[in-house]
């Protein structure tokens, strides 16, 4: 997982979103994380991060290599993403990095679900979401968090969000909807993952939006990655 680094108009750096490494040159994230606003411009991605507050991260005496920060060379939005559309359809973007990332035991690409090879997600299936977004304290976390949540039946989720005036399409995926068990602000762009029976992690969703956070009956909405793997494969270059 990577964390996206922004600068504000005063030149101060801050974080707002996550992303995932899909090979050593590209990061997958949400389109709404990449849109430039008056408040922020995406500049770098930070790789190998765990605890933002520490220079070197150690857990029980075992330490990670130092983080690596690389510049975003090119931001590629999905052609159908429309920042003015509140439903956040096609909330997906690729970031081409300025230099190739060296992989190690802590920095590895996530697998993508190829439509042909991967079974569709069934309702109630356990998925894992991760990020540095807001926790129960309503503040972003220094330490990367992860949470298991269940995929929501699509029809149920479509109806639920329709009641709030939001139109969901099949290339969006809902998960969660249990009290206090949710992704939240700051988790956007990060991965929602499924572990295959072989133990391999696949990225099935991208954190996109929700209604508040952790409200019972209101799942989080994710971009369904399996619907975009053709676009990803057609867009990335060596
Ligand atoms: N849009 C939020 C962000 O930019 C992500 C919100 C996810 N919300 C949720 N309830 N699952 O970080």
């Amino acid at each position: 997982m990577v964390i996206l680094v922004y600068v504000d108009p005063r030149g101060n750096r801050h974080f707002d979103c996550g992303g995932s490494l899909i090979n050593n040159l590209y990061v997958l994230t949400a389109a709404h994380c990449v849109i430039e606003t008056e408040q922020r411009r995406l500049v770098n991605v930070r790789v190998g991060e765990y605890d933002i507050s520490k220079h070197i991260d150690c857990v029980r005496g075992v330490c990670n290599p130092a983080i690596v920060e690389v510049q975003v060379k090119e931001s590629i939005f999905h052609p159908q993403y429309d920042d003015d559309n509140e439903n956040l359809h096609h909330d997906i973007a690729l970031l081409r990095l300025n230099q190739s990332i060296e992989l190690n035991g802590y920095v590895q690409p996530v697998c993508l679900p190829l439509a042909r090879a991967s079974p569709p997600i069934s309702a109630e299936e356990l998925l894992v979401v991760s990020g540095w977004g807001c926790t129960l304290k309503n503040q972003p976390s220094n330490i990367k968090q992860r949470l298991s949540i269940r995929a929501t039946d699509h029809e149920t989720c479509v109806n639920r969000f329709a009641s709030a005036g939001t139109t969901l399409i099949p290339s969006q995926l809902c998960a969660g909807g249990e009290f206090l068990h949710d992704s939240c602000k700051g988790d956007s762009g990060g991965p929602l993952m499924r572990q295959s029976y072989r133990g391999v992690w696949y990225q099935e969703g991208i954190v996109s939006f929700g209604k508040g956070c952790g409200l019972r009956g209101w799942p989080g909405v994710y971009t369904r990655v399996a619907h975009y793997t053709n676009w990803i494969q057609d867009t990335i270059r060596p």
Side-chain angles (χ1 to χ4, degrees), residues 78-152:
H78 190 275
Q80 285 168 279
Y81 176 74
D82 172 7
D83 199 42
D84 296 328
N85 183 311
E86 286 163 24
N87 304 310
L88 290 187
H89 295 166
H90 318 294
D91 190 10
I92 183 169
L94 284 163
L95 308 175
R96 185 181 167 95
L97 305 177
N98 199 22
Q99 75 193 66
S100 169
I101 299 289
E102 228 173 277
L103 305 179
N104 60 46
Y106 299 89
V107 176
Q108 287 288 320
V110 70
C111 293
L112 294 176
L114 295 181
R116 276 172 286 115
S118 93
I121 296 158
S122 26
E124 300 302 317
E125 191 179 331
L126 266 184
L127 303 170
V128 175
V129 62
S130 60
W132 289 268
C134 287
T135 65
L136 293 179
K137 295 177 188 149
N138 206 13
Q139 269 177 20
S141 171
N142 278 334
I143 295 178
K144 182 165 64 174
Q145 307 285 307
R146 73 161 164 194
L147 179 71
S148 297
I149 50 177
R150 288 189 191 279
T152 313

Side-chain angles (χ1 to χ4, degrees), residues 16 32 182-188 207-213 220:
D16 246 351
H32 83 263
D182 197 3
S183 48
C184 198
K185 197 171 161 22
D187 288 319
S188 278
V207 181
S208 183
F209 69 96
K211 185 169 164 56
C213 300

Side-chain angles (χ1 to χ4, degrees), residues 210-223:
K211 185 169 164 56
C213 300
L215 298 179
R216 205 182 144 212
W218 289 95
V221 181
Y222 298 78
T223 307

Side-chain angles (χ1 to χ4, degrees), residues 143-165:
I143 295 178
K144 182 165 64 174
Q145 307 285 307
R146 73 161 164 194
L147 179 71
S148 297
I149 50 177
R150 288 189 191 279
T152 313
D153 170 63
H154 194 67
E155 190 71 25
T156 309
C157 192
V158 165
N159 293 336
R160 182 40 69 106
F161 276 88
S163 76

